[in-house]
């Protein structure tokens, strides 16, 4: 993309922008020089990262969860007037490069990464205490990695540098870059604990140390680095929460736009959109956690929505879940052919009655075949239930080789209606020489 950087003011809103040849400044906002030459300005920019990533219908959380949910049958569209969402529900060639959800998903991730790059470039030259600079570095690194890792789940290639007419790299390279960013931040944090100055001024909710390891695990499993994913997942303290926090001024975007306003999307059905062979067991406690009416309703009936993280404007959304870490342990172990360890981690999810977020299945232990293929299929099933509406199912569907819209697969068999998305026009118009051809599906 062309180089675009947005700056934040004290509210966390980013109100100014620069492009390759012009700068548009809000009169009440600080200039780049003002916000990048002292610690207060950099902390303000850090708060702006979270605002841009998490808030509003244009933000990454709404667009990633909605796009993945519609593509993999977690969600359906209630009002066909929401044209962009409906394109994603139908899938295939109906998803066009002008789709607004995808435009925002692409652009907001790129803007978060660009601002994180600015912070990381600036923090070393700013005067101040080491603990505050450590906090700034770690926080910006987390959002840089989130931006890269999230975008890589939806597109085959993407830019990782902030520059005019940036070159594209493969999604695998982008994911590895995200992991390198997180590993560097973990080294910084281990060497220099974060100061109370930083923690007192940053939006609360994110557990820095555990989030670094959780995201290393998440993105490593996506690249097939199972050993690294397993090691990182084992370092995460599953009793601790890490969340994106909201209030009545900066609202939970899924509650505000979806579950608190029954007009855009809602769960497709009471079996979480899964095919018959993978549907949840009726006694699974997670159904009541995620759905307001787990017994099911006819089309057009009572809203199935609840999702427990999207129940109020001030409801926090997890950065990761304990169950995700357990299932990464299970998956990595199975792919490393340690089936005993894989089964142990899988059973920890099946049998838990609650966790730090109140999620429990309360089911019997795994009793299927003791083969890697059978265990991996059950792991995918449990990821689909445990991590419902986390935005991860499209990535999971590809990684576990679930059925896609290709010849020979009937509509009832298809578990995703696209495999990757077309590149948004905003990128092709600004960086046409480097933007790859769109995938067929």
């Amino acid at each position: 993309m062309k180089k675009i950087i947005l700056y934040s003011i004290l509210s966390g809103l980013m109100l100014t922008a620069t492009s390759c040849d012009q700068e548009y400044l809000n009169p009440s906002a600080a200039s780049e020089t003002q916000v990048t030459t002292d610690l207060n300005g950099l902390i303000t920019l850090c708060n702006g990262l979270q605002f841009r990533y998490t808030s509003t219908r244009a933000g990454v959380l709404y667009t990633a969860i909605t796009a993945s949910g519609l593509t993999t049958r977690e969600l359906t569209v209630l009002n066909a007037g929401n044209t962009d969402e409906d394109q994603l529900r139908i899938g295939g060639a109906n998803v066009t490069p002008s789709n607004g959800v995808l435009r925002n998903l692409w652009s907001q991730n790129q803007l978060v990464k660009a601002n994180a790059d600015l912070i990381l470039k600036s923090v070393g030259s700013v005067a101040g205490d080491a603990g505050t600079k450590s906090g700034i570095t770690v926080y910006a690194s987390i959002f840089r990695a989130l931006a890269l890792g999230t975008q890589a789940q939806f597109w085959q290639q993407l830019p990782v540098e902030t520059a005019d007419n940036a070159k594209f790299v493969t999604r695998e390279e982008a994911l590895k870059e995200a992991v390198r960013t997180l590993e560097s931040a973990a080294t910084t944090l281990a060497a220099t604990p974060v100061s109370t100055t930083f923690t007192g001024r940053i939006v609360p909710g994110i557990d820095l140390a555990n989030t670094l390891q959780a995201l290393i695990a998440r993105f490593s499993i996506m690249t097939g680095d199972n050993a690294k994913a397993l090691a990182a997942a084992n370092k995460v303290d599953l009793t601790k929460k890490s969340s994106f926090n909201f209030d009545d001024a900066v609202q939970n975007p899924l509650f505000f736009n979806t579950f608190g306003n029954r007009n855009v999307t809602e769960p497709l059905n009471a079996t979480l959109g899964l095919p018959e062979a993978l549907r949840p067991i009726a006694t699974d406690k997670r159904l009541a956690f995620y759905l307001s009416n787990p017994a099911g309703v006819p089309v057009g009936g009572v809203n199935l929505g609840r999702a427990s993280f999207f129940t109020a404007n001030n409801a926090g959304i997890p950065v990761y879940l304990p169950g995700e870490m357990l299932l990464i342990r299970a998956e990595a172990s199975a792919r490393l052919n340690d089936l005993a360890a894989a089964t142990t981690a899988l059973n920890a999810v099946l049998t838990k009655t609650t966790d730090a977020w109140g999620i429990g299945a309360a089911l019997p232990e795994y009793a299927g075949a003791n083969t890697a293929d059978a265990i991996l299929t059950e792991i995918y099933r449990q990821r689909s239930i445990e991590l419902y509406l986390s935005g991860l199912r499209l990535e999971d569907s590809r990684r576990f080789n679930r059925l896609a819209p290709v010849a020979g697969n009937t509509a009832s068999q298809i578990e995703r209606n696209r495999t990757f998305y077309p590149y948004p026009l905003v990128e092709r118009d600004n960086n046409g020489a480097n933007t790859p051809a769109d995938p067929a599906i």
Side-chain angles (χ1 to χ4, degrees), residues 141-424:
S141 296
I142 285 172
F143 278 93
R144 182 177 196 268
L146 278 169
L148 287 169
T150 302
Q151 196 168 0
Q153 292 172 61
F154 297 95
W155 283 278
Q156 289 173 301
Q157 298 182 54
L158 61 146
V160 299
E161 61 178 340
T162 301
D164 292 347
N165 301 312
K167 301 293 185 181
F168 279 62
V169 303
T170 66
R171 60 184 298 274
E172 289 80 8
E173 291 175 276
L175 288 164
K176 289 176 181 178
E177 175 67 14
V179 170
R180 285 192 291 269
T181 298
L182 294 162
E183 289 175 329
S184 176
T187 299
T188 297
L189 184 61
T192 310
V194 173
S195 70
T196 55
T197 299
F198 177 81
T199 57
R201 295 178 185 175
I202 202 70
V203 176
I206 296 179
D207 181 313
L208 299 182
N210 283 300
T211 296
L212 289 171
Q213 297 305 322
L215 295 180
I216 290 171
R218 176 186 293 176
F219 299 140
S220 293
I221 203 75
M222 292 177 184
T223 67
D225 193 339
N226 298 303
K228 181 173 287 189
L230 180 60
N234 280 328
K235 293 177 183 176
V236 178
D237 183 345
L238 302 185
T239 68
K240 301 293 178 62
K241 290 169 121 179
S242 186
S243 63
F244 303 117
N245 287 349
F246 303 94
D247 54 31
D248 287 335
V250 181
Q251 299 110 334
N252 180 307
L254 273 297
F255 175 77
F256 186 80
N257 294 290
T258 301
F259 293 105
N261 174 21
R262 192 169 182 246
N263 182 54
V264 186
T265 64
E266 73 174 13
L268 173 67
N269 54 37
T271 53
L272 311 183
L274 288 167
E276 186 172 355
L278 299 181
R279 287 177 180 173
I281 297 169
T283 56
D284 192 325
K285 289 178 60 178
R286 292 169 296 187
L287 290 174
F289 183 86
Y290 283 121
L291 301 176
S292 57
N293 186 1
V297 294
V299 174
V302 177
N303 189 356
L304 278 168
R306 169 175 154 77
S308 283
F309 308 123
F310 316 130
T311 55
N313 278 333
N314 63 354
I317 298 177
V319 182
Y320 62 89
L321 286 173
E324 181 187 359
M325 296 302 106
L326 290 170
L327 289 165
I328 287 174
R329 293 183 199 175
E331 180 183 345
S333 297
R335 296 190 189 280
L336 292 168
N337 206 35
D338 186 349
L339 302 187
T343 303
T344 297
L346 175 59
N347 285 337
V349 173
L350 289 167
T351 61
K352 72 183 170 76
T353 56
T354 191
D355 62 19
W357 286 95
I359 304 174
L363 296 173
E365 292 186 347
Y366 174 70
N370 189 35
T371 65
D373 284 347
I375 292 170
L376 284 167
T377 297
E378 184 62 26
I379 290 167
Y380 172 75
R381 178 191 191 190
Q382 294 307 317
R383 283 185 65 91
S384 297
I385 301 169
E386 186 84 6
L387 307 180
Y388 180 65
L389 289 184
S390 63
L392 295 172
R393 193 183 287 186
L394 179 57
E395 171 66 32
D396 289 353
S397 177
R398 290 191 305 263
R399 192 170 72 256
F400 285 85
N401 296 315
R402 304 305 303 176
L403 293 178
V406 296
N409 292 341
T410 67
S412 62
Q413 292 175 315
I414 292 169
E415 296 177 36
R416 63 177 185 269
N417 62 38
R418 281 197 69 96
T419 297
F420 288 102
Y421 292 138
Y423 297 94

Side-chain angles (χ1 to χ4, degrees), residues 1-2 4 164-165 425-433 435:
M1 65 181 293
K2 284 185 177 292
I4 304 174
D164 292 347
N165 301 312
L425 285 180
V426 65
E427 185 67 27
R428 195 170 296 283
D429 288 346
N430 287 317
N431 190 12
T435 304

